[in-house]
Amino acid sequence: MSLKESIDLTKLPQHVAIRMDGNGRWAKERGKNRLFGHTNGVKAVRETAEGCAELGVRYLTLYAFSTENWNRPILEVTGLMDLLLKTIMAEVKTLQKNNIRLRTIGNIDAMPGNTARELRVAMEQTEGNTRMDLILALNYSGKADIVQAVRTIAQDVKDGKVNVGDIQEDLLNGHLYTAGIPDPELMIRTSGEQRISNFLLWQLAYSEFYFTEKFWPDFDKEELYNAILIYQARERRFGKTTEQIKGQ
Ligand code: FPP
């Protein structure tokens, strides 16, 4: 049986989040510059999005640019922005054809004007699509997301709209960039690094983690299927005991 056929479609993760990593090292191994790695990373993005949509995963979140990534060499940053712009413009038709909605989390207002504009156009065009949400984390920081949510709630308390006692998990959830999106059951990170790196800090509280040595440009559908199979073999206890879980 192939890896794909071994997947239990009744127990798919609804939401898969991926910390794509290793584009630079992949390029270095080939004697090329970092942008060559990012360009090849786009192929893996396409393959992964296709793989998730074919299986029936409802939400796919990709960490494409962190707030810390602005500190990279200027040529890499402008190259990444350019690649993002070109990729969005080239792929919007495919998203439409496949009923995939493009969304972003993070502060895209602070991104270059043409990139932000094109992203907004693509998001508007695909707004009604229902098969899968492809969520790009752009200029995103998990800590900054929590801070902006807390700030909004604090203002609401000050304005008398919210009581301190009403501040519960659901209220905070509703003020995060991911409001309305279920937490990822599975988080994948490539390139052998085993860190969260400021990705979805709140939302990953009970996620299963899958780490692979593969660099992002080498990530493919087989690797995706393997990650999902490993996820399906895990016992998710949410603080309970094995006996309690089995008895449910
Ligand atoms: C991590 O590898 C990769 C990134 C920070 C950028 C990811 C961007 C793309 C795959 C291209 C555009 C994306 C979309 C969604 C259209 P790294 O540069 O940190 O690699 P290294 O750790 O080997 O240096």
Side-chain angles (χ1 to χ4, degrees):
M1 206 163 34
S2 71
L3 283 182
K4 188 180 183 188
E5 285 162 350
S6 308
I7 293 174
D8 180 349
L9 295 178
T10 66
K11 290 190 182 129
L12 271 185
Q14 267 197 97
H15 185 174
V16 175
I18 307 185
R19 177 62 175 84
M20 308 180 284
D21 201 3
N23 293 349
R25 280 164 285 165
W26 185 91
K28 199 173 175 189
E29 274 186 2
R30 285 157 181 79
K32 305 275 191 180
N33 66 23
R34 299 179 54 83
L35 271 176
F36 181 74
H38 297 314
T39 305
N40 280 275
V42 174
K43 287 186 202 154
V45 168
R46 210 176 288 126
E47 169 123 353
T48 307
E50 198 180 277
C52 283
E54 283 166 0
L55 283 173
V57 171
R58 184 62 187 78
Y59 300 91
L60 171 65
T61 299
L62 302 174
Y63 204 172
F65 196 86
S66 74
T67 50
E68 291 81 19
N69 286 152
W70 295 112
N71 299 320
R72 291 193 172 193
I74 183 73
L75 275 180
E76 182 175 352
V77 173
T78 50
L80 264 171
M81 291 299 140
D82 194 41
L83 182 62
L84 186 67
L85 179 68
K86 285 191 180 131
T87 306
I88 301 299
M89 290 171 79
E91 299 295 335
V92 72
K93 265 197 196 131
T94 314
L95 294 175
Q96 285 293 48
K97 206 170 77 198
N98 289 285
N99 195 17
I100 296 173
R101 177 180 177 188
L102 182 76
R103 300 172 72 167
T104 58
I105 52 173
N107 180 11
I108 65 165
D109 291 337
M111 297 188 61
N114 51 353
T115 309
R117 238 186 333 272
E118 211 50 55
L119 277 164
R120 287 211 177 82
V121 170
M123 285 195 281
E124 231 178 84
Q125 285 177 349
T126 61
E127 204 172 4
N129 295 346
T130 53
R131 182 181 182 193
M132 184 176 86
D133 287 15
L134 173 61
I135 305 159
L136 300 182
L138 288 167
N139 195 19
Y140 176 85
S141 145
K143 283 190 176 180
D145 193 11
I146 295 169
V147 169
Q148 68 78 25
V150 168
R151 197 178 290 137
T152 312
I153 295 169
Q155 188 64 50
D156 284 350
V157 170
K158 196 173 164 209
D159 296 344
K161 295 184 200 157
V162 167
N163 295 317
V164 170
D166 295 334
I167 305 175
Q168 307 287 345
E169 284 186 18
D170 278 353
L171 187 79
L172 201 104
N173 264 330
H175 285 84
L176 295 172
Y177 285 123
T178 48
I181 299 170
D183 290 344
E185 294 95 329
L186 173 63
M187 194 282 282
I188 297 171
R189 183 166 186 157
T190 57
S191 89
E193 310 292 358
Q194 303 196 357
R195 292 187 290 273
I196 298 185
S197 301
N198 214 354
F199 188 32
L200 299 171
L201 293 181
W202 170 275
Q203 298 86 340
L204 293 177
Y206 277 102
S207 309
E208 297 294 329
F209 289 180
Y210 173 84
F211 298 109
T212 169
E213 294 294 319
K214 280 203 175 171
F215 292 142
W216 177 249
D218 289 330
F219 193 87
D220 57 13
K221 286 185 188 173
E222 289 303 300
E223 193 72 41
L224 171 74
Y225 301 151
N226 192 43
I228 292 177
L229 282 169
I230 287 181
Y231 157 80
Q232 292 190 330
R234 301 247 178 102
E235 182 183 67
R236 306 190 73 212
R237 291 194 294 277
F238 301 97
K240 294 184 180 170
T241 66
T242 298
E243 291 68 28
Q244 284 176 307
I245 298 295
K246 295 236 157 87
Q248 271 173 9

